[in-house]
Amino acid sequence: MVIDMRLSKYFIPTLKEVTADVQMPSHKLMLRSGMVRQLAAGVFSWLPMGHTVLKKVMNVLREEIDRIGGQEFLLPALNPIDIWEETNRVEAMGEVMFHIKNRDGLILAPTHEEVITFHARQHVRSYRDMPMIWYQIQTKFRNEPRPKSGVLRGRQFIMKDAYSLDSTWEGLDESYQKHYEAYTRIFDRCGIKFFVVGASSGAMGGKQSQEFMVESDAGEDLCAISDSGYAANIEVATSNIPPVGRIAEELEIEEFATPNAKSIDDLVEQFNIPEERCAKSVVYMVEDAPILVLMRGNDELNENKLESILGTNVFRPATSEELIQFTGADGGSIGPVNLKTKVRVIADNLLKDANGLVSGANKDGYHFKNIDFKRDVNIEEFYDLRTVIEGEPNPIDGEPIRIVKAIELGHIFKLGTRYSAAMGANFLDAEGKENPIIMGSYGIGVERVIACFVEQHFDEYGIKWNKELTPFHAHIVGLNTKKSEEVREACEKLYEGLKEVSLDSLYDDRDDSVGVKFNDADLLGVPVQIIVGSKNLANGLVELKYRETGEKEMVSLEEAIDKVKSYYLV
RNA sequence: CGGGGCGUGGCGCAGUCCGGUUAGCGCGUCUGGUUUGGGACCAGAAGGCCGGAGGUUCGAAUCCUCUCGCCCCGACCA
């Protein structure tokens, strides 16, 4: 079946302009080149050319995941809520999960660990059945509070998701490593510059995870990286800064009035207290229980770190009423000493064993000074809770950290037994003992691959596809096709000739002015343009133009086909 | 969820503050003609109950109320 790819018939609605609120270059170009159209907030249709590129990306994904032994599935987006309740993720996903309104017990799946584990439970009985890599390329549904940046964050998007099933932890390490390498090959083939960061597992749970990131101002993730090679998502990034420590003076703890101090900055300003000697209190409610978190000075609490310490993402800042109920004071005057009720207190590592600290007195308008964490409070739990700041030394070699914005393109997780244990997906090991399957989960946002590629490969005229992702191998630009039969014939010859050697070409046979055709060709960004005009044709020549470099050369029709062919062989 | 902005022929916009002929402009579309190596030109034409509902008024794209949609910023720091 051969599709007619004459532009006069093929649906590529290019646009000269897009509405003013489209900001990202890739978003603008994908709209202008007729690849996508928006249907609703966070919901996009893929038009024929965009869909062709999508298929090219999927091709690369399939080849590389097949190469590491993946077996392709197609799992349903519609899921029974039961399996999600088994893993307690209905609550963990919260508002993000779409629930079907007129059919109880069905949801739209935001990811597929549960379904995979369900089938593994059905059929995986023995350690001999593993290792296994199961994957699919399929649509996910996530009720994002705020979709943005075109196709980058949608409520419906296509994901390549893979899952590994292993009987040993070493096996998981191998499966994980295979995916790491496959992902590297995938993004290399797609011509995307990326970096890998250590990441948080978030609602996925699990042991270890890494993200494949693309640096971009439109990114929604912050990463701490250093030129020497440290790279971590800010959600888990750490830095090597010294703890607050102890000062020599051993002064008695003392209450003092701070009627106008609502924040650490106020304390620092009004009482001349060094910022690092302030212990900031933040109170969260975990279910119905309060937890007081102490941070150094104005350090920012990292909620992701808190989440992994608490083992749940179901927590929220306490309300004013709750603060008063549990601590005795409203925000601004809360501290670890003299709490009204028994409250779990955890503190950042930097505050461990520190003294000479100032913190709220749990009495509105009062603080304590000279608090000694060894003497005056009994905090047993110290954790790394802070968010790192640009310029701090990285924990590996001390090089300063840079904070960059990045788009998350892929994410690989060592899930461990979190899902298999919860759902009872067990196997018998060589000793005949029953164990939960050891799992990994690996995802790539397919549309994001395209958006990121375009973001990295465009100029003022349009997109510049690479050999791997280009929707067509050649773009035949027929000039004045209406008037010149010679041009039409030459174009047809090229079109057919390329088809014979299995190269797809887009043939612009429209009755439009040359300017329109040249501009559309540059906008669509096919790597090789074959420009056929009557003047050159009189000498038996056509012009080849390479989109990447702008380089041009005059060749015969036969040479043109050979040149295109060899261009893609390299 | 909080705050801000926008919704007017297919697309991109003006008009709205300060209500008043027939609602404009550019692009696109259709017809005819002239052009043709970088988004051509001339002539003519089609196409809009101004997001929706209600209200104020002699009269509403314009004012008021409600509602739907879309975009942007924010959503621990007590």
Side-chain angles (χ1 to χ4, degrees):
Chain A
M1 181 69 189
V2 177
I3 301 162
D4 193 347
M5 288 177 295
R6 290 171 173 79
L7 248 181
S8 63
K9 301 273 171 56
Y10 200 69
F11 185 60
I12 304 181
T14 57
L15 257 24
K16 273 196 209 171
E17 48 194 2
V18 294
T19 179
D21 47 47
V22 173
Q23 287 304 323
M24 273 189 87
S26 58
H27 187 193
K28 211 177 280 188
L29 287 169
M30 287 166 74
L31 288 167
R32 289 227 293 128
S33 62
M35 293 174 66
V36 294
R37 288 293 181 266
Q38 182 169 345
L39 214 213
V43 183
F44 284 82
S45 298
W46 286 85
L47 278 36
M49 189 179 98
H51 186 218
T52 303
V53 177
L54 258 184
K55 286 187 282 192
K56 295 270 177 146
V57 174
M58 291 177 183
N59 228 359
V60 174
L61 293 169
R62 289 196 170 96
E63 281 178 18
E64 295 301 337
I65 303 301
D66 287 348
R67 188 206 294 271
I68 60 168
Q71 305 177 55
E72 189 171 359
F73 282 56
L74 212 209
L75 304 169
L78 214 48
N79 279 201
I81 199 166
D82 314 31
I83 57 175
W84 289 82
E85 267 154 5
E86 288 184 47
T87 57
N88 205 25
R89 281 173 105 196
V90 178
E91 193 182 17
M93 287 285 170
E95 286 296 307
V96 169
M97 191 149 86
F98 282 107
H99 292 251
I100 304 293
K101 220 171 176 178
N102 66 346
R103 173 66 65 185
D104 278 350
L106 283 182
I107 59 98
L108 290 175
T111 169
H112 282 259
E113 282 76 16
E114 278 76 2
V115 178
I116 286 286
T117 310
F118 176 86
H119 294 302
R121 172 170 73 188
Q122 274 183 325
H123 295 292
V124 176
R125 298 271 77 102
S126 152
Y127 72 99
R128 296 176 200 274
D129 296 334
M130 293 177 281
M132 203 86 93
I133 292 170
W134 292 352
Y135 81 100
Q136 64 169 341
I137 297 174
Q138 182 253 16
T139 302
K140 307 289 181 232
F141 295 88
R142 293 186 189 174
N143 187 16
E144 296 292 345
R146 185 148 87 87
K148 54 182 270 196
S149 306
V151 114
L152 264 194
R153 171 166 293 265
R155 294 206 166 115
Q156 164 175 352
F157 61 97
I158 301 167
M159 186 189 250
K160 187 288 304 170
D161 46 324
Y163 306 86
S164 62
L165 311 176
D166 278 281
S167 57
T168 64
W169 292 94
E170 296 70 44
L172 171 60
D173 291 344
E174 273 175 45
S175 298
Y176 184 90
Q177 184 58 27
K178 280 182 182 171
H179 279 91
Y180 185 99
E181 286 159 16
Y183 277 32
T184 301
R185 276 196 299 269
I186 287 166
F187 299 132
D188 282 346
R189 281 179 68 180
C190 291
I192 294 173
K193 289 191 274 305
F194 67 97
F195 60 95
V196 182
V197 298
S200 139
S201 312
M204 301 291 294
K207 309 269 175 230
Q208 184 197 346
S209 88
Q210 284 168 298
E211 289 167 326
F212 290 73
M213 310 296 284
V214 168
E215 190 170 343
S216 161
D217 277 340
E220 298 177 286
D221 283 275
L222 293 174
C223 293
I225 62 177
S226 75
D227 297 335
S228 55
Y230 179 72
N233 193 302
I234 199 148
E235 294 173 347
V236 299
T238 58
S239 65
N240 211 356
I241 55 172
V244 170
R246 301 184 67 79
I247 51 174
E249 302 175 90
E250 295 268 343
L251 297 171
E252 280 308 300
I253 188 165
E254 190 186 319
E255 185 180 287
F256 64 114
T258 53
N260 300 315
K262 285 283 164 213
S263 67
I264 299 295
D265 288 339
D266 294 342
L267 283 172
V268 170
E269 265 173 47
Q270 296 170 25
F271 300 93
N272 197 27
I273 299 161
E275 192 176 305
E276 73 270 14
R277 290 287 149 191
C278 295
K280 180 177 66 172
S281 304
V282 183
V283 179
Y284 282 87
M285 298 301 294
V286 187
E287 313 243 320
D288 296 326
I291 180 165
L292 175 63
V293 184
L294 290 164
M295 302 296 299
R296 180 196 74 161
N298 262 330
D299 277 356
E300 189 179 320
L301 168 62
N302 187 319
E303 284 199 349
N304 285 281
K305 291 181 179 179
L306 182 60
E307 179 180 329
S308 55
I309 289 158
L310 297 176
T312 172
N313 68 348
V314 186
F315 56 83
R316 58 170 174 83
T319 63
S320 237
E321 294 72 40
E322 286 164 338
L323 290 176
I324 293 162
Q325 181 192 346
F326 292 108
T327 72
D330 202 347
S333 301
I334 293 167
V337 182
N338 207 20
L339 282 159
K340 189 174 165 194
T341 63
K342 188 156 174 46
V343 174
R344 179 181 175 192
V345 180
I346 67 174
D348 185 71
N349 282 337
L350 292 183
L351 291 172
K352 194 163 188 186
D353 296 339
N355 69 351
L357 298 171
V358 171
S359 197
N362 297 313
K363 190 164 123 187
D364 283 339
Y366 290 89
H367 280 73
F368 284 119
K369 60 179 153 190
N370 309 325
I371 300 172
D372 186 334
F373 270 24
K374 287 177 90 166
R375 177 189 68 193
D376 305 317
V377 286
N378 182 25
I379 302 170
E380 286 172 357
E381 300 178 85
F382 286 92
Y383 303 103
D384 170 35
L385 286 161
R386 62 189 296 277
T387 304
V388 300
I389 295 169
E390 172 114 10
E392 292 178 357
N394 83 59
I396 295 184
D397 57 19
E399 285 296 303
I401 283 170
R402 275 191 306 131
I403 307 283
V404 299
K405 280 178 160 183
I407 296 164
E408 180 188 342
L409 249 191
H411 201 160
I412 57 179
F413 296 88
K414 289 183 184 175
L415 294 175
T417 58
R418 136 120 237 234
Y419 295 90
S420 48
M423 293 181 66
N426 298 325
F427 68 96
L428 292 179
D429 65 19
E431 277 84 52
K433 237 186 84 207
E434 192 161 72
N435 290 300
I437 297 169
I438 299 166
M439 298 174 61
S441 154
Y442 317 88
I444 289 178
V446 182
E447 291 102 329
R448 281 186 182 182
V449 172
I450 298 175
C452 286
F453 175 88
V454 175
E455 201 65 18
Q456 291 182 353
H457 302 270
F458 72 92
D459 61 15
E460 55 181 317
Y461 304 107
I463 303 174
K464 296 169 161 184
W465 293 112
N466 68 359
K467 295 169 191 171
E468 196 76 64
L469 300 187
T470 185
F472 307 100
H473 297 110
H475 188 143
I476 303 167
V477 182
L479 304 180
N480 306 314
T481 37
K482 178 105 179 255
K483 208 160 193 190
S484 165
E485 201 185 322
E486 294 76 34
V487 168
R488 279 202 306 275
E489 271 172 14
C491 287
E492 291 289 340
K493 236 185 224 167
L494 285 166
Y495 183 74
E496 294 300 328
L498 287 163
K499 201 189 287 175
E500 266 168 38
V501 292
S502 299
L503 292 169
D504 297 321
S505 53
L506 181 68
Y507 166 27
D508 191 347
D509 62 332
R510 295 174 302 177
D511 180 24
D512 268 306
S513 71
V514 295
V516 170
K517 294 189 177 198
F518 284 140
N519 281 307
D520 271 354
D522 288 345
L523 174 61
L524 299 187
V526 173
V528 189
Q529 297 172 11
I530 308 176
I531 299 157
V532 184
S534 43
K535 282 182 204 151
N536 289 322
L537 205 54
N539 303 318
L541 297 173
V542 295
E543 184 179 305
L544 287 190
K545 177 181 165 187
Y546 298 94
R547 182 67 180 86
E548 177 67 38
T549 58
E551 199 185 322
K552 295 172 180 174
E553 56 182 334
M554 303 293 282
V555 295
S556 70
L557 289 189
E558 295 71 28
E559 280 176 310
I561 293 172
D562 285 344
K563 289 265 184 184
V564 176
K565 205 165 134 190
S566 61
Y567 180 87
Y568 286 97
L569 277 179
V570 178

